[in-house]
């Protein structure tokens, strides 16, 4: 069907085709819940993560912003949020780069997506008991906090972003601080 063709265009098309396919899938995802489920069943999250991860798309800020927007739409459903959380850790460097160099809208979407993934994951265990979402979110938070660019980018967003971006960045910083693992105990000096 149409979704399969759009996913193939995202994987193999040229830059303009990938952007157009991403926007088309974004519009499908914004439709009714059945359409969003179809996107999830067809593996859209994996395709989006692979595109974000690919090195030649790191320079395409517009495509990266649309890919994050598509992940955000898919993450609105519990099943989609689980799929997104399962893969976000692998694209942390790309997401941090969007927070550093992206457009204002891309930064806002990225902060919102990361907030949803880091804050909501503990609530997903009853929905998907086969997953240990706590470990998924812990891995994501660990990778995020391991990026030296993340905290400065979020702090810049808190100070100079649009109001919604400021709220999302502030909330994400609180979630990361509240849920970050304690530092390892220091060993006594010999």
């Amino acid at each position: 069907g149409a979704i399969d063709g759009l996913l193939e265009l995202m994987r193999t098309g040229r830059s303009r085709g990938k952007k157009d396919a991403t926007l088309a899938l974004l519009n499908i995802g914004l439709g009714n819940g059945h359409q969003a489920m179809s996107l999830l069943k067809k593996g859209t999250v994996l395709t989006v993560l692979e595109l974000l991860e690919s090195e030649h798309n790191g320079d395409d800020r517009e495509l990266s912003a649309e890919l994050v927007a598509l992940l955000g739409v898919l993450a609105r459903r519990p099943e989609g949020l689980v799929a997104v959380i399962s893969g976000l850790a692998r694209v942390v460097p790309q997401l941090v780069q969007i927070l550093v160099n992206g457009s204002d809208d891309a930064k806002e979407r990225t902060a919102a997506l990361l907030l949803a993934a880091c804050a909501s994951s503990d609530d997903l265990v009853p929905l998907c008991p086969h997953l240990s979402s706590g470990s998924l979110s812990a891995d994501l938070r660990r990778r995020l906090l391991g990026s030296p660019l993340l905290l400065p980018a979020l702090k810049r967003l808190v100070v100079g972003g649009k109001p919604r971006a400021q709220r999302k960045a502030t909330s994400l910083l609180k979630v990361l601080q509240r849920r970050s693992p304690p530092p390892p105990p220091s060993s006594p000096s010999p």
Side-chain angles (χ1 to χ4, degrees):
I3 292 173
D4 293 323
L6 291 168
L7 288 171
E8 183 62 25
L9 184 56
M10 282 179 73
R11 285 191 279 282
T12 62
R14 295 179 183 255
S15 181
R16 183 78 250 160
K18 288 179 182 184
K19 289 176 193 171
D20 291 345
T22 301
L23 286 173
L25 290 171
L26 181 60
N27 286 324
I28 291 170
L30 290 169
N32 66 40
H34 175 71
Q35 292 170 321
M37 280 304 295
S38 293
L39 290 176
L40 291 170
K41 289 178 183 175
K42 299 280 184 172
T44 304
V45 171
L46 181 61
T47 300
V48 170
L49 291 170
E50 288 170 350
L51 269 175
L52 274 172
E53 199 172 29
S54 67
E55 56 193 272
H56 60 274
N57 286 322
D59 296 331
D60 193 337
R61 290 174 43 182
E62 185 181 336
L63 177 58
S64 295
E66 298 304 334
L67 291 169
V68 169
L70 180 53
L71 285 176
V73 166
L74 295 173
R76 291 179 182 170
R77 299 187 58 81
E79 304 88 345
L81 183 55
V82 170
V84 168
I85 291 170
S86 297
L88 272 187
R90 71 191 254 193
V91 293
V92 163
Q94 292 83 353
L95 295 173
V96 170
Q97 279 305 312
I98 293 169
L99 288 171
V100 171
N101 297 318
S103 68
D104 289 344
D105 288 339
K107 290 176 184 180
E108 180 181 320
R109 289 178 184 147
T110 303
L113 178 65
L114 290 172
L115 176 61
C118 290
S120 302
S121 59
D122 294 340
D123 303 330
L124 297 175
V125 174
L127 298 171
C128 303
H130 62 285
L131 288 176
S132 171
S133 65
S135 65
L136 288 175
S137 62
D139 182 47
L140 176 59
R141 288 191 304 270
R142 187 171 42 258
R143 289 180 188 236
L144 284 169
L145 291 169
S147 170
L149 300 175
L150 176 76
L151 295 178
L154 288 175
K155 288 175 183 174
R156 278 192 304 277
L157 200 52
V158 167
V159 173
K162 294 179 181 177
R164 183 174 184 266
Q166 290 175 335
R167 287 191 306 274
K168 297 297 179 180
T170 299
S171 296
L172 180 56
L173 283 167
K174 287 178 183 175
V175 166
L176 290 171
Q177 290 169 351
R178 184 175 67 240
R179 297 185 179 192
S180 62
S186 58
S187 56
S189 300

